Amino acid sequence: MEQRHRASAPFPEANGMAVAASRAGRTSAGHWIEKRKTGLLFILPALIVYAIFFVKPFLTSIYYSLTSWNGFDPVKKFVGLANYEQLFHDPLVWLSLSHNLIWIAIGTFAPIIIGLPLAVMLTNIKRGRLLFQTAYFLPYVLSGVLIGVIWGWIYNPVFGVLNHILHSVGLGGLARGWLGDPDLALYAVLVAAIWGYFGFCVVIFMAGLQNINLELIEAAKIDGANSVQRFFYIIIPQMRNVLNVVIVYNLIGGFNVFDIIRVMTVGGPANQTEVIATYNYSVSFQQNNIGYGTTLSMVMTILSLVVSYFYITLRDKQEPGE
Amino acid sequence: MKKPIGLLTMIVFVVVAAGCQGAAKTTTSPTSAAASTVAATAAPSAEPVTVKVLDAITEKADTDAVNQIVQLFETAHPDIKIERTSVTGKDLDAMAMTTLSSSDGPDIIARNPGPGFAGVMARAGLLLPLDDYWKKYNWDDRIYPIAKTQGTIGGKIYGIPTELEFIGVFYNKTLFDKLGLAIPKTYQDLIDICQKATAGGYIPMAFGNKDQWPADVQYAQTISNMIGRDGLDNILHGDGRWDTPESVKAIQIPFVDMNKAGCYQADPNAVSWDDANTLFYSQKALMVPTGTWLIGDINTNVKDFEPGFFFYPSLPGGKGQYPAAGLGGGYWVSAKSQHPDQAAAWLDFYFSPEAAKIWMETSSKIQPVKVDSSGFKLNTLFKFAVNALQTQSDQMGYNIDPLLPANFNQLELDGFQAVILGQKTPEQMAKDLEKAWEDALAKGDAVK
């Protein structure tokens, strides 16, 4: 220590304190890196990939959103915040967002409401468990495009099986052009999406149920709790972490939904199933307006981040001990 | 902590070094590269030049036709190889900007002519002007002037539109005879057919608009009949407007009146174009209003009845029968093409009478090439359509979509569905079309 002080003696008095502070800062930063060098080395390859495939495109997208560009011209005209101003006055943006909110509200919780009880039931059976598990999971393996095609046939007003079934059971009055009905089309597509996704939730929840403390369930049984009470007061609280992960995953997916809507309705009829992603596609690739399309992408990204942040914060507030 | 750090550093270095080695192994070493270069310059290369073509030819009949043309071309030009990549039209729209901007993009790309399609690419400098090749190959002698006009952007020729198409109504002749129906000459005749067809237990007209664009085709036909070619020219190049009473009627008739009259199956917005065609092929529907691009499919799918074709009848208050016609696609050479001469040679063959014959006989498609088809082996339906075109050629309207900017087309896609649903009136839709047109003119996306 004394030797280090003598080494600093030759520096001029007037700059002594600033230099000392600067040296202290550099020493502190260098010390910080030195302490974490192993960890930094481990994450460096992933950081590089992340920087190339996420950070750079993200920053580039922010730049594009400040331009008027058709995707072809070599010159991008800088327009500042004009795209963002246009976004606030664009009725289709608000309509699309409202559809995204409906999609999130129903699409987030419906697969959970269907998947969790099924997972609990499957966990309690031995015979046929694998068969049912496979059957429930199979739709998840299909692509969104294929699900859209299959359900497009089911909903077909002329030869679709849904209308045939309704007619044959005396409910012909309910038969309609499901994907052409402006009030029902979005929900019809949601049903198809939920069908394609709930199996994934079943499998995830079944894995989570393996960690349930069985002693608590036994104790609840002894105390006289019925199966419904055990489900709500013992199982769901212990499945909290798994539920949180699935909910966040679904929330983000709700803002990004695209393929199944594109295949089933192209955002129609008359924009009644338009969501931000399909509107973005039409603006960017059909109307050659990359600048405005990128602005819409920014909206999707920010909303996904904000909603996820609020949910995680809320969850953390409710679990102060964790 | 030093030992693990040192070890990790070594591991990272080895991994990176291995990667570099791997990359090096995929390229020739300097000495062998020099040797191969010397060898290449010492003797003429036997390798043919590959011309990459990105198109949207996915239907079987069309694929058969173009494969025959490729084979003939490569036999005649052993120094050129054609490498085609086919995607759907929608995928091509999404890919066009990135693929043309790429250094490894196609030499030739297929896109519709018009300001919203090839026009955007040309204005961005992504397409190669073909004026010199046009003179070299004397294309004026064999390619229709309308193709040259639509391939010209900003005074330069950038491409050659393909496939002359026109719009009308395909009908089931067998069922028409059974029900005692005749080809309609007026709008009222058409409504009468709709009523008789419904009474006979059939869907009069299969109109599937879930994909949105079939309504655009209908509008192109009705606006052509209402205002004729002169009226359309006046809008596109003069001081005409899209929100006139005639234009309102052109929207009212197909999307409100005919829908209410029961001319279509229920819920047109819920039925896809393919499913509507299936209704026609399966004889559940008597008619399907669409363009001549469907002839190949009809030939493939219709075996149990005799199909026919008629032009849309005149409409009340309209100019008469003006079948909407136009050029449905086009081939354009990339400005970044490394082989423009070879690309032009391919275009020259593609638009030759020999290739036109293959298109007509194999796929029932008409290229904009002057050719005497009297000795060709054409199927009955196509022959009829070609004859109908020849008799009507002086009085045709426009298939307007390729001629209009992207925002106008998008409004048509969404707006006509809203009119069918009753969410928007024809008057409001006509006003919206006029506004979209004016916005595009102001932005430079359309030019009068």
Side-chain angles (χ1 to χ4, degrees):
Chain A
M1 288 291 290
E2 287 178 357
Q3 284 179 339
R4 277 200 283 275
H5 276 297
R6 274 202 287 276
S8 68
F11 287 91
E13 284 284 342
N15 293 330
M17 284 176 70
V19 168
S22 167
R23 285 177 72 201
R26 284 202 300 271
T27 305
S28 170
H31 181 63
W32 187 93
I33 291 174
E34 183 67 30
K35 270 187 77 173
R36 293 161 180 81
K37 202 192 292 190
T38 310
L40 286 172
L41 271 175
F42 265 116
I43 66 171
L44 187 63
L47 259 184
I48 291 171
V49 170
Y50 185 74
I52 293 171
F53 291 105
F54 179 75
V55 174
K56 184 183 178 296
F58 184 71
L59 294 175
T60 309
S61 297
I62 294 176
Y63 168 61
Y64 287 166
S65 72
L66 304 175
T67 66
S68 170
W69 185 44
N70 62 15
F72 291 98
D73 285 337
V75 175
K76 302 169 189 60
K77 185 181 164 194
F78 184 79
V79 294
L81 296 175
N83 286 330
Y84 290 92
E85 199 187 330
Q86 181 185 346
L87 186 148
F88 279 105
H89 296 109
D90 185 348
L92 274 179
V93 168
W94 299 106
L95 180 66
S96 303
L97 269 176
S98 69
H99 296 153
N100 276 102
L101 288 175
I102 292 171
W103 192 279
I104 286 165
I106 299 176
T108 298
F109 295 104
I112 295 172
I113 292 168
I114 298 169
L116 186 53
L118 276 177
V120 170
M121 282 190 277
L122 279 183
T123 305
N124 289 326
I125 67 170
K126 287 196 171 63
R127 239 182 181 184
R129 180 195 297 174
L130 186 60
L131 178 68
F132 280 108
Q133 200 173 338
T134 307
Y136 292 145
F137 190 71
L138 265 178
Y140 183 71
V141 174
L142 303 175
S143 67
V145 170
L146 196 47
I147 294 172
V149 169
I150 292 169
W151 278 87
W153 291 334
I154 292 172
Y155 286 132
N156 189 293
V158 182
F159 51 75
V161 69
L162 179 56
N163 281 351
H164 272 292
I165 291 173
L166 288 171
H167 280 294
S168 58
V169 299
L171 293 172
L174 295 177
R176 63 196 60 237
W178 300 91
L179 298 179
D181 187 322
D183 298 322
L184 293 178
L186 183 65
Y187 301 99
V189 179
L190 255 171
V191 165
I194 291 166
W195 174 84
Y197 182 67
F198 85 94
F200 173 74
C201 295
V202 169
V203 168
I204 295 291
F205 290 143
M206 284 186 73
L209 285 167
Q210 302 305 312
N211 295 321
I212 294 285
N213 187 341
L214 295 175
E215 289 174 359
L216 288 179
I217 294 179
E218 290 302 322
K221 273 186 193 170
I222 292 167
D223 287 344
N226 59 34
S227 57
V228 174
Q229 286 169 322
R230 291 198 301 273
F231 178 77
F232 280 103
Y233 295 114
I234 307 293
I235 293 175
I236 288 185
Q238 290 196 72
M239 290 284 289
R240 204 170 40 226
N241 289 337
V242 176
L243 278 168
N244 285 337
V245 167
V246 172
I247 287 173
V248 171
Y249 190 73
N250 292 354
L251 277 174
I252 295 171
F255 279 112
N256 296 333
V257 61
F258 171 77
D259 49 0
I260 194 169
I261 295 178
R262 183 78 192 162
V263 168
M264 291 183 79
T265 58
V266 203
N271 305 116
Q272 294 309 308
T273 60
E274 199 84 77
V275 290
I276 280 290
T278 54
Y279 184 44
N280 187 358
Y281 181 93
S282 132
V283 163
S284 299
F285 298 111
Q286 290 175 228
Q287 298 180 58
N288 301 317
N289 195 343
I290 295 291
Y292 189 52
T294 318
T295 311
L296 294 170
S297 301
M298 290 291 114
V299 167
M300 282 164 60
T301 306
I302 291 166
L303 284 173
S304 301
L305 287 170
V306 165
V307 169
S308 303
Y309 173 76
F310 272 118
Y311 176 75
I312 292 169
T313 306
L314 187 68
R315 181 204 66 186
D316 289 345
K317 274 188 185 163
Q318 289 175 346
E319 300 163 5
E322 291 180 17
Chain B
M1 290 302 288
K2 279 187 184 174
K3 276 185 185 172
I5 291 170
L7 179 61
L8 281 166
T9 309
M10 285 294 297
I11 291 171
V12 169
F13 175 79
V14 166
V15 167
V16 171
C20 292
Q21 282 293 322
K25 279 177 189 163
T26 62
T27 61
T28 52
S29 66
T31 13
S32 60
S36 64
T37 306
V38 168
T41 51
S45 169
E47 290 289 316
V49 165
T50 299
V51 171
K52 291 188 279 188
V53 179
L54 177 61
D55 62 41
I57 296 175
T58 53
E59 303 290 340
K60 185 185 177 309
D62 297 348
T63 304
D64 289 344
V66 76
N67 284 344
Q68 284 182 54
I69 297 170
V70 167
Q71 210 166 7
L72 286 170
F73 175 79
E74 288 178 345
T75 305
H77 299 81
D79 56 331
I80 304 176
K81 184 174 164 10
I82 302 296
E83 184 184 287
R84 282 183 51 242
T85 304
S86 296
V87 298
T88 64
K90 282 184 186 169
D91 287 342
L92 189 51
D93 285 343
M95 288 166 70
M97 62 181 80
T98 47
T99 197
L100 276 184
S101 306
S102 154
S103 58
D104 193 32
D107 297 287
I108 296 174
I109 187 169
R111 274 214 105 187
N112 283 340
F117 303 96
V120 183
M121 303 192 304
R123 288 195 298 274
L126 293 171
L127 300 180
L128 183 74
L130 300 178
D131 303 73
D132 292 341
Y133 293 113
W134 198 280
K135 285 191 196 111
K136 175 184 170 185
Y137 288 106
N138 227 353
W139 284 337
D140 272 332
D141 281 353
R142 78 176 109 108
I143 293 180
Y144 281 126
I146 186 175
K148 188 179 181 183
T149 305
Q150 290 201 8
T152 301
I153 303 164
K156 291 187 184 163
I157 308 170
Y158 282 99
I160 309 176
T162 59
E163 198 179 330
L164 180 65
E165 304 164 325
F166 44 100
I167 296 166
V169 182
F170 293 97
Y171 71 105
N172 185 323
K173 258 191 194 175
T174 309
L175 285 179
F176 257 51
D177 292 341
K178 179 182 164 190
L179 294 171
L181 303 172
I183 290 175
K185 296 209 175 0
T186 65
Y187 173 66
Q188 191 53 51
D189 290 343
L190 185 61
I191 296 295
D192 290 342
I193 287 174
C194 291
Q195 287 164 354
K196 285 179 184 161
T198 305
Y202 296 98
I203 296 167
M205 212 177 246
F207 173 44
N209 196 43
K210 186 156 77 93
D211 307 299
Q212 299 181 322
W213 63 265
D216 298 3
V217 170
Q218 287 268 59
Y219 176 66
Q221 184 51 71
T222 50
I223 188 79
S224 290
N225 275 10
M226 286 305 299
I227 65 177
R229 183 191 287 180
D230 289 345
L232 286 169
D233 281 336
N234 193 27
I235 297 177
L236 294 172
H237 309 296
D239 56 5
R241 296 176 65 90
W242 293 103
D243 54 359
T244 57
E246 290 79 12
S247 179
V248 171
K249 214 165 190 175
I251 300 170
Q252 171 98 19
I253 284 173
F255 305 131
V256 179
D257 298 346
M258 288 181 67
N259 199 17
K260 278 189 185 154
C263 283
Y264 310 134
Q265 83 290 327
D267 299 305
N269 288 334
V271 178
S272 69
W273 183 66
D274 282 328
D275 289 343
N277 296 338
T278 302
L279 290 173
F280 178 67
Y281 302 150
S282 60
Q283 303 200 67
K284 291 190 167 62
L286 294 192
M287 298 174 280
V288 60
T290 189
T292 49
W293 51 80
L294 194 65
I295 289 181
D297 257 14
I298 290 177
N299 292 332
T300 305
N301 291 292
V302 171
K303 309 288 179 205
D304 299 331
F305 64 89
E306 189 186 352
F309 178 82
F310 61 80
F311 288 125
Y312 220 83
S314 59
L315 300 175
K319 292 276 190 212
Q321 264 188 327
Y322 282 83
L327 292 161
Y331 280 112
W332 317 83
V333 178
S334 167
K336 291 188 177 180
S337 172
Q338 300 294 310
H339 312 294
D341 292 342
Q342 289 82 359
W346 164 244
L347 290 181
D348 179 60
F349 191 85
Y350 192 94
F351 291 98
S352 65
E354 189 177 2
K357 179 174 187 266
I358 293 172
W359 275 111
M360 291 176 90
E361 289 184 341
T362 308
S363 179
S364 303
K365 296 267 161 66
I366 308 173
Q367 299 301 327
V369 175
K370 297 170 191 170
V371 65
D372 178 7
S373 63
S374 51
F376 292 178
K377 290 182 201 140
L378 306 179
N379 68 70
T380 314
L381 180 62
F382 186 56
K383 211 182 278 186
F384 177 84
V386 170
N387 288 340
L389 172 66
Q390 286 168 350
T391 56
Q392 194 75 29
S393 61
D394 290 337
Q395 186 166 304
M396 301 205 86
Y398 293 133
N399 184 10
I400 55 175
D401 284 356
L403 306 176
L404 294 168
N407 66 328
F408 191 101
N409 285 326
Q410 187 61 44
L411 175 61
E412 287 184 293
L413 294 175
D414 299 326
F416 291 141
Q417 280 194 325
V419 175
I420 291 169
L421 286 171
Q423 290 181 343
K424 195 185 267 202
T425 64
E427 290 80 7
Q428 186 57 53
M429 182 63 189
K431 282 194 185 120
D432 290 345
L433 288 174
E434 175 60 26
K435 183 168 184 315
W437 176 241
E438 287 170 6
D439 287 347
L441 288 169
K443 276 182 75 175
D445 291 337
V447 177
K448 285 216 176 188

